[in-house]
Amino acid sequence: MKTFCGRANPTTGSMEWLEEGEDYDYHQEIARSRYADMLHDKDRNVKYYQGIRAAVNRVKERGEKAIVLDIGTGTGLLSMMAASAGADFCYAIEVFKPMANAAVKIVEQNGFSDKIKVINKHSTEVTVGPDGDMQCRANILVTELFDTELIGEGALPTYEHAHKYLVQEGCEAVPHRATVYVQLVESRRMWSWKKLFPVHVEAEDGEKILVPPSEMENCPGVPSVCDIQLNQMPSSDFSTLSDVVTMFSVDFSKPVQSASTYYRVQLEPVKSGKAQIVLSWWDIDMDPSGMINCTMAPYWVKPTSALQWRDHWMQCVYFLPREEPVVQGEKLYLTACRDQYSVWYSLQKAREGENKADEEEHKADARVESPVCRCRAHLLWNRPRFGELNDQNRTRQYIRSLRKVLKPDSVCLCISDGSLLPVLAYYLGAKQVQYFVLVFRSLHFGLVFFSHVFFKANHLEDKIKIIEARPELLKSSHLEDKKISVLVGEPFFTTSLLPWHNLYFWYARTAVSTHLASNVTVLPQSASLHMMVVEFQDLWRIRSPCGTCEGFDVQAMDDMIKDSLNFRESKEAEPHPLWEYPCKSLSEPQEVLTFDFTKTVPQHCLSTEGSVKLLREGKSHGAVLWMEYQLAADISVSTGLMQLSNEKGNCEWNPHCKQAVYFFSSVIESEILSDPTAVTYAIKFDTKTGEIAMDFKL
Ligand code: SAH
């Protein structure tokens, strides 16, 4: 089946129709999936195997046949473990068709076809009985249906159904139990992902303060989970206000209820401070005794054990609805509410001489609704974007640059999504009209937020005009027949996934050319694409073949991922927030392409070729690419590399942006460097399609 999907090209802004077959979707799903990462997760695999062996033995010791139900079998790994451990039969359920096919192949290649039946269904569709998918109910339930939030992939309703219809009462479950842990912290850095901090601007006529609207103060934000590699957050970036507390557990061997509920624990802060964030992670016990434990605890909780790196399970950051000052030793209640798929938190203070009635009242308070953004800012700005807007250093660079280019009679036009630049420009420039085009290509609520909430709170409603038009539809009447003397952009667009998608600014600039004064100043003046060859500490795993996993041949999975990555021939760069994924530079960072915003987008392609010298020993896993913007003569901002410590090549990345990673098809091992090896590259920016094609060779 083929369908045509219309979308605005993220770089050029023009509408295009893409032919998307079913194939495309599933290739994307496989290529970007976490299957490889799971298979590389040694700690997980070993513990599952131990847990499965123990469960099979317990059943056998009771003199029963071991019948396994493996829900979400993926490659068939856990069923093969069970079969090797002596299980009599395994029903391996997998809803995703390409994976179910792969499982059949892998099971066969490993010689388990007579012991494992792969069923391509959602578990809730599976039937039991003489003519059913399963002959009888299973007495061992094996699953791995967890995400970073534990329940986000629907583990609870799946377990609830399985206990009702697919497994025997008193069955063994691997994992046996999951426990969710929390810790209350204060962190300006993480809080800056949810709140807009006041912006101070030193203007000619005194200091101006851009204030967040009151609607934002108590806004609970959005319900989507914030999952990060918490192990990359230095301890100096947060302060723990409580000990680690057990929030709730789920026993998977008993009937599970998925209906919404809440859990409440009492806490006493170990330190006074501002309660802002709840950090959370979970662990799973593979057996009832808790001897086989697989934990996501971050480094400061389990400092002695070697941490297993994994990307499929990380840690969660929950934002309290509002900041709450807490005092060491005072009595607090932390409440976790959950529905079938997500969790959210609130904090209550216990009052003096609390009695039973009060406690009931607290419980009522505790049942807060799932967070829904009321101020609209959280729909307009995602968490990294909040962080970026709150980055004072960055704001300072823009202020310095604006100061250089603005004149008392400047007519200014801003092209960027949800940007504070028009306000900065207004404060810094003459009291002339400022214009602001919102190019949010479908984000109408952004417009409502700016015009009805944000500008109002700062008394700017009649100072900054919002033009609701696409750049190519801009008319002189929008500009009151004036020419634009200063065109500004961060540039930032919500539709950008890869760094160069923000080149949309260049296309928009080209579209509004007829409205620009002949001596127009464009800020940024130019952008440049930078590149560096790196060795990843861990990220390489997500694209690296597994071969075998705990003795099972899973090469069919590797081949399938490879096919999907090569689907449509062109290998693509993928976006990753590299502050979460440490790497070491193996080459000098180098500028590969520049884009001159003072001119319009040229008709011809921009291309470049060259070579990169590898200066350090290491494995060249791929190239990282990012954009830098030249704001004014001597001021530039980087969306990628911020600092490079030269001896070891450790990199510090912009914490608010994703960088582009191009994984090399084979790892180049420059273990011993006598002569610097060179990697050659060819990079081409097609100005028609806005795409960047690249090729690397050793
Ligand atoms: N068990 C494998 C793969 C785990 S990934 C391993 O441990 O390596 C989880 C898999 O479960 C995915 O392939 C997903 O498609 C599948 N899945 C999730 N919920 C399911 C359900 N209710 N029924 C069937 N498959 C499900």
Side-chain angles (χ1 to χ4, degrees), residues 29 34-35 38-39 44-45 48 70-79 81 92-97 99-100 119-126 142-146 153-155 157-159 312-313 549:
E29 186 141 341
R34 300 177 168 192
Y35 291 108
M38 292 187 290
L39 296 175
R44 179 197 86 119
N45 301 337
Y48 260 99
D70 170 13
I71 303 180
T73 199
T75 52
L77 179 71
L78 305 183
S79 286
M81 288 178 175
I93 321 294
E94 175 53 56
V95 65
F96 185 38
K97 176 127 202 200
M99 272 319 298
I119 301 166
N120 176 210
K121 277 190 177 179
H122 191 268
S123 61
T124 52
E125 305 292 319
V126 169
V142 176
T143 77
E144 202 275 60
L145 301 167
F146 314 114
E153 280 170 17
T158 293
Y159 271 110
H312 60 118
W313 294 332
C549 180

Side-chain angles (χ1 to χ4, degrees), residues 302-565:
K302 291 261 156 113
T304 46
S305 66
L307 292 166
Q308 164 76 51
W309 184 87
R310 44 171 75 94
D311 207 38
H312 60 118
W313 294 332
M314 297 181 266
Q315 294 79 22
C316 293
V317 178
Y318 294 98
F319 304 86
L320 288 172
R322 71 194 74 79
E323 176 178 285
E324 200 81 63
V326 297
V327 179
Q328 182 179 351
E330 99 181 289
K331 221 170 138 191
L332 298 174
Y333 291 110
L334 183 66
T335 308
C337 297
R338 68 148 184 82
D339 55 21
Q340 289 195 324
Y341 299 96
S342 62
V343 187
W344 60 95
Y345 286 86
S346 64
L347 191 68
Q348 293 88 30
K349 296 212 171 186
R351 279 160 245 157
E352 281 300 318
E354 178 134 350
N355 60 31
K356 217 58 222 129
D358 285 338
E359 211 170 290
E360 285 311 308
E361 192 185 311
H362 271 322
K363 280 191 181 163
D365 288 357
R367 305 193 86 136
V368 287
E369 300 276 293
S370 138
V372 177
C373 169
R374 291 187 296 257
C375 71
R376 296 192 182 82
H378 301 94
L379 305 175
L380 171 63
W381 296 321
N382 64 15
R383 289 162 187 139
R385 178 64 171 157
F386 263 96
E388 185 170 51
L389 293 173
N390 283 323
D391 182 338
Q392 291 176 341
N393 234 341
R394 178 177 185 270
T395 305
R396 218 171 292 132
Q397 303 302 317
Y398 282 93
I399 291 177
R400 275 179 59 213
S401 320
L402 281 168
R403 237 189 231 126
K404 287 191 181 206
V405 303
L406 288 171
K407 301 207 176 65
D409 59 352
S410 288
V411 175
C412 179
L413 178 73
C414 173
I415 302 181
S416 266
D417 285 345
S419 177
L420 302 182
L421 278 189
V423 182
L424 300 181
Y426 170 73
Y427 285 154
L428 291 165
K431 303 290 165 256
Q432 262 274 338
V433 211
Q434 313 283 347
Y435 294 100
F436 179 24
V437 174
L438 285 164
V439 201
F440 317 118
R441 277 157 282 174
S442 59
L443 295 176
H444 190 74
F445 46 79
L447 197 141
V448 178
F449 169 72
F450 265 92
S451 57
H452 297 327
V453 182
F454 190 62
F455 287 174
K456 218 177 200 170
N458 288 283
H459 313 291
L460 294 166
E461 303 103 302
D462 53 345
K463 306 292 198 295
I464 297 170
K465 185 175 155 193
I466 295 178
I467 301 171
E468 209 181 333
R470 296 170 55 80
E472 57 274 27
L473 301 176
L474 188 70
K475 295 198 197 72
S476 300
S477 58
H478 286 126
L479 307 170
E480 289 160 20
D481 296 320
K482 295 197 175 85
K483 291 282 183 198
I484 297 153
S485 56
V486 179
L487 178 69
V488 300
E490 298 183 31
F492 173 90
F493 301 100
T494 51
T495 38
S496 297
L497 300 172
L498 288 162
W500 46 87
H501 290 165
N502 283 325
L503 284 176
Y504 175 62
F505 178 72
W506 202 14
Y507 289 81
R509 177 256 176 262
T510 305
V512 302
S513 286
T514 53
H515 302 286
L516 305 181
S518 56
N519 59 349
V520 67
T521 307
V522 184
L523 183 167
Q525 337 176 314
S526 65
S528 48
L529 181 68
H530 293 246
M531 183 196 58
M532 190 166 79
V533 175
V534 303
E535 173 184 72
F536 286 108
Q537 192 177 300
D538 301 291
L539 191 66
W540 59 270
R541 290 172 209 271
I542 66 167
R543 295 289 165 265
S544 153
C546 310
T548 61
C549 180
E550 296 310 303
F552 303 103
D553 179 356
V554 291
Q555 212 174 321
M557 184 69 213
D558 295 337
D559 296 342
M560 185 162 137
I561 294 175
K562 207 162 119 205
D563 282 353
S564 288
L565 283 170

Side-chain angles (χ1 to χ4, degrees), residues 275-300:
Q276 297 165 327
I277 305 283
V278 175
L279 298 179
S280 173
W281 57 89
W282 48 261
D283 66 12
I284 41 183
D285 285 321
M286 297 299 184
D287 70 334
S289 76
M291 296 292 283
I292 312 166
N293 179 273
C294 182
T295 179
M296 308 309 126
Y299 64 90
W300 65 92

